Amino acid sequence: MREFDVQYRHRLPSVGSVEGENVMPIVLQRRSPRPRRQVFTVLMAAALALAPSWAAAQDAAETGEARPWAVRGGVSVLSDYVWRGVSQTQEDPALQAEINLEHRSGFYVGLWGSSIDFTVADEEDDGIDYELDGYIGWAGELRPGLELDVVLTRAAYPGARSGFDYDYTELEGTLSFAEHYHVGLAYSPDIFGLGGKGYYWNAGGEWPLGESGFGLKAQVGYYDLEDAAGDSYNDYLLALTKDFGPVHAELQYTDTSSYGPELADALDDAKLADGRLAVTVGWKF
């Protein structure tokens, strides 16, 4: 089954982050918080509504009863939402929530949402306050020690004003092997609504730090946006992790290289791709 990960999911718009997206001309007034509250009210209400199902699944697991479906989800608070090396929130905090339904065959479907901010002060407001992603995928073991996760995601930005269409579709595959390592490739035929293809290559790993309960996570990525934005860049992630029961905490450092003027014009201000520390605290069920 797919490993539930509250945060590192999306894009890089005229904003960025390893979650955020597009290429957005940046913005004027700050948006009203109302739409943001609506999406998280819906997601959190869904999480609470599905919590009894999760509890029932746990009871079934304890009694040895096999059930074909499982519900997972969670809520996270981030000091900065960074997706693929770029801040998606103008370096401000973010709130994220996710719900998914998994079948024992390996198939899953879910909904993920995050508050975002692609608007720079004194620029036209794009009307976007949050990102909402629907996804469907399959994860399973190909052979002992080798697992595959393939997911198709549709990223949407509700409330976007005319001329700020950043919605896109992305297909991503990840191979995990030797217990701690992974390699992945994501492809979009029209990334960030720019009219060109995008490819994101990445490789990394996660390792426990002895018996301390802490973990170390590292990843390097290459984002090929030549077709869509006329340039490409590299991103890097190094993180210290710790679980406290259902609560996951992470201190991460991210940075990029080769994030040039073409990307700054098409996507985000280059300062949002600078090296930075961020903290994430999430609850999973």
Side-chain angles (χ1 to χ4, degrees):
M1 287 293 183
R2 173 176 172 273
E3 181 73 19
F4 176 77
D5 186 345
V6 180
Q7 180 215 3
Y8 236 56
R9 282 201 76 74
H10 299 98
R11 9 254 121 281
L12 144 72
S14 134
V15 89
S17 165
V18 171
E19 264 156 6
E21 312 319 356
N22 287 86
V23 158
M24 331 180 152
I26 301 189
V27 201
L28 225 167
Q29 324 115 272
R30 291 255 185 224
R31 302 75 68 225
S32 160
R34 183 174 57 83
R36 183 176 301 169
R37 287 199 297 268
Q38 286 179 337
V39 68
F40 289 108
T41 296
V42 171
L43 283 172
M44 290 181 190
L48 291 174
L50 290 171
S53 300
W54 171 77
Q58 293 300 101
D59 292 341
E62 292 174 2
T63 61
E65 180 184 354
R67 288 179 178 261
W69 296 96
V71 177
R72 293 190 182 189
V75 178
S76 290
V77 177
L78 301 77
S79 64
D80 188 359
Y81 170 28
V82 181
W83 182 75
R84 295 178 183 172
V86 184
S87 173
Q88 306 292 285
T89 52
Q90 301 298 313
E91 305 177 309
D92 289 332
L95 176 64
Q96 299 181 348
E98 183 170 13
I99 290 289
N100 69 40
L101 180 65
E102 299 181 353
H103 190 264
R104 62 187 175 192
S105 64
F107 288 98
Y108 59 86
V109 61
L111 188 65
W112 175 94
S114 178
S115 56
I116 57 174
D117 186 359
F118 295 151
T119 297
V120 171
D122 302 323
E123 303 246 354
E124 182 186 358
D125 188 356
D126 57 17
I128 299 171
D129 287 300
Y130 62 91
E131 175 184 348
L132 193 59
D133 295 0
Y135 58 87
I136 183 170
W138 179 86
E141 189 174 63
L142 301 180
R143 67 180 189 187
L146 182 64
E147 297 178 355
L148 174 65
D149 186 352
V150 179
V151 58
L152 179 67
T153 301
R154 179 62 180 177
Y157 300 90
R161 295 182 175 176
S162 178
F164 296 91
D165 181 10
Y166 306 129
D167 295 2
Y168 67 93
T169 299
E170 185 174 76
L171 178 64
E172 182 171 10
T174 302
L175 273 175
S176 300
F177 57 94
E179 189 176 356
H180 302 296
Y181 303 93
H182 71 267
V183 293
L185 170 62
Y187 164 75
S188 174
D190 183 15
I191 191 66
F192 312 138
L194 292 175
K197 303 179 184 67
Y199 302 87
Y200 181 70
W201 307 79
N202 65 86
E206 296 186 47
W207 308 269
L209 297 178
E211 303 298 321
S212 67
F214 287 91
L216 181 67
K217 179 193 296 187
Q219 179 173 293
V220 58
Y222 174 69
Y223 210 168
D224 180 356
L225 295 169
E226 289 285 349
D227 186 54
D231 202 355
S232 302
Y233 73 96
N234 306 300
D235 73 278
Y236 314 94
L237 165 72
L238 185 63
L240 184 66
T241 66
K242 173 71 173 177
D243 288 327
F244 303 89
V247 176
H248 176 79
E250 187 167 310
L251 172 65
Q252 62 179 220
Y253 176 78
T254 58
D255 203 352
T256 65
S257 61
S258 303
Y259 193 96
E262 292 88 350
L263 294 174
D265 288 342
L267 302 177
D268 269 333
D269 190 318
K271 74 180 183 67
L272 297 178
D274 288 345
R276 68 193 62 243
L277 285 171
V279 176
T280 298
V281 178
W283 168 73
K284 300 183 287 185
F285 67 83

